[in-house]
Amino acid sequence: MAEIDKEKLKAEIRRLAQERDAVILAHYYVDGDVQDVADFVGDSYALAKTARGDPRKTVVFCGVTFMGESACVLNPDKTVLIPETSAVCPMALMVDAEKIRAMREKYDDLAVVCYINSTAEFKSLSDVCVTSSNALKVVRALKNKNIFFIPDGNLGRFIAEQVPEKNFILNDGFCHVHTSITARDIETAFREHPGSKIIAHPECMKEVCDMADFIGSTKELIEFTESYGAGSFIVCTESGVLHEMRKRSPGKQFFSVGARQVCPNMKKITLEKVRDCLAGMAPRARVSEELRDSSSRPLERMLELASR
């Protein structure tokens, strides 16, 4: 698509958003053009709070489907649009209800802590939700000794290492983008870009985190590169975040560690699909009233504990 066409399309999206009384939210992992047309760009925690607080009656959530579900749960009186219904996060499905029930039977004083990267069904079976930004704070605030962390085992391990007084039971879910990054990839990237700071998302494997100079959520990684004096960074997370990093720090260099750092589901969100969902007010994120009630409790508890 020619650049002039993109600008016309963005203008059309902004016009439709105004007509529909819509706020456009975009995750850092979607295409840079979609980020540029959004009212707010952020990680899952920031966008969850933004959807809750924005006065507009329609929310366009540019991200994978669980994010639209969460916005729908937290905003029962708003219309939540999702530009692409097939943009599903595989990790969000990597747990099952029977395993959660078995853990509750096996462990006394258990808190089921659910990463926000999960379906509304699994949220409803949990005690509290977390994001990579607030997981440590929320887990420390829980009185429970035993923590069953779902669905991402790598983030659970990262938090467990910092809270040794609690007993973590880790699930075997994972993000295929982050687990595709290996120590060998980083070694290769560092040889090509010596002196660069290595930064990693906690969804990465332990061998990657052990090599990192800084580990943090998407937002924390961006803020680190903005504030740190180093001129170049090897970025171990989904490549979409480089768009925001380059915007905030145009004088610095950012390198990915390979072509596998792309989430194909996030990249399904295009300008055309954002335009079409606003034009037709569809597709919509829909959650049954029963599921909304049961899944809202752990989300509400997350917002409460994270704000203390």
Side-chain angles (χ1 to χ4, degrees):
M1 183 187 296
E3 188 65 30
I4 185 66
D5 292 333
K6 286 185 180 181
E7 293 310 311
K8 287 181 178 178
L9 190 50
K10 289 175 184 178
E12 184 180 2
I13 289 169
R14 294 187 180 103
R15 175 183 60 80
L16 285 167
Q18 186 172 13
E19 291 176 0
R20 304 292 196 261
D21 192 29
V23 58
I24 302 174
L25 309 179
H27 193 274
Y28 287 123
Y29 294 172
V30 301
D31 184 78
D33 287 317
V34 177
Q35 293 184 45
D36 288 343
V37 82
D39 296 295
F40 298 97
V41 181
D43 60 13
S44 52
Y45 179 43
L47 295 178
K49 291 196 299 182
T50 299
R52 182 75 172 273
D54 194 273
R56 282 165 281 196
K57 299 300 183 184
T58 301
V59 176
V60 181
F61 215 120
C62 302
V64 287
T65 53
F66 78 78
M67 297 178 180
E69 271 190 349
S70 295
C72 190
V73 168
L74 289 170
N75 299 273
D77 297 327
K78 296 183 181 182
T79 298
V80 179
L81 304 177
I82 46 175
E84 178 51 66
T85 57
S86 69
V88 177
C89 172
M91 182 175 66
L93 306 173
M94 292 183 184
V95 69
D96 62 77
E98 183 56 40
K99 187 171 185 179
I100 294 172
R101 284 192 287 268
M103 290 300 169
R104 288 198 185 278
E105 291 178 3
K106 182 175 181 179
Y107 293 92
D108 294 328
D109 189 34
L110 180 76
V112 178
V113 177
C114 185
Y115 193 19
I116 200 168
N117 295 32
S118 56
T119 65
E121 176 190 0
F122 296 134
K123 289 181 177 72
S124 73
L125 300 174
S126 305
D127 297 297
V128 65
C129 288
V130 296
T131 72
S132 53
S133 296
N134 65 31
L136 181 60
K137 184 175 184 179
V138 170
V139 168
R140 280 178 170 162
L142 294 172
K143 295 180 180 179
N144 307 73
K145 170 72 173 179
N146 297 312
I147 306 294
F148 181 36
F149 197 99
I150 61 172
D152 183 40
N154 285 315
L155 178 59
R157 182 211 72 249
F158 176 73
I159 301 302
E161 290 172 351
Q162 299 173 77
V163 194
E165 66 272 19
K166 293 183 184 287
N167 176 45
F168 274 72
I169 305 98
L170 301 179
N171 190 52
D172 54 4
F174 60 92
C175 168
H176 68 94
V177 175
H178 286 103
T179 54
S180 73
I181 302 169
T182 67
R184 181 173 294 181
D185 292 331
I186 296 173
E187 290 169 354
T188 300
F190 195 77
R191 283 196 299 270
E192 295 173 353
H193 311 290
S196 297
K197 288 294 177 183
I198 300 166
I199 61 174
H201 194 283
E203 288 180 23
C204 290
M205 295 186 294
K206 180 174 173 54
E207 67 179 55
V208 171
C209 291
D210 286 347
M211 297 178 70
D213 297 296
F214 179 78
I215 304 167
S217 69
T218 310
K219 178 185 177 183
E220 290 165 344
L221 294 178
I222 293 169
E223 291 175 345
F224 178 80
T225 61
E226 189 176 22
S227 62
Y228 197 81
S232 62
F233 301 86
I234 294 169
V235 183
C236 303
T237 188
E238 213 279 344
S239 60
V241 75
L242 273 66
H243 182 75
E244 182 69 13
M245 290 176 173
R246 287 167 178 151
K247 283 176 65 176
R248 294 199 191 186
S249 304
K252 298 178 182 180
Q253 292 183 299
F254 302 94
F255 307 103
S256 66
V257 292
R260 293 169 296 176
Q261 278 178 254
V262 175
C263 175
N265 288 291
M266 286 286 193
K267 298 305 187 279
K268 290 179 180 179
I269 311 301
T270 64
L271 289 174
E272 293 93 334
K273 290 176 182 176
V274 176
R275 186 264 322 274
D276 292 346
C277 83
L278 274 167
M281 293 296 286
R284 299 187 181 190
R286 298 187 186 275
V287 178
S288 70
E289 186 174 346
E290 179 182 0
L291 186 55
R292 177 184 286 116
D293 288 343
S294 57
S295 60
S296 67
R297 289 191 290 272
L299 284 167
E300 294 281 0
R301 195 174 184 202
M302 174 188 76
L303 295 174
E304 173 197 349
L305 294 177
S307 63
R308 289 181 180 176

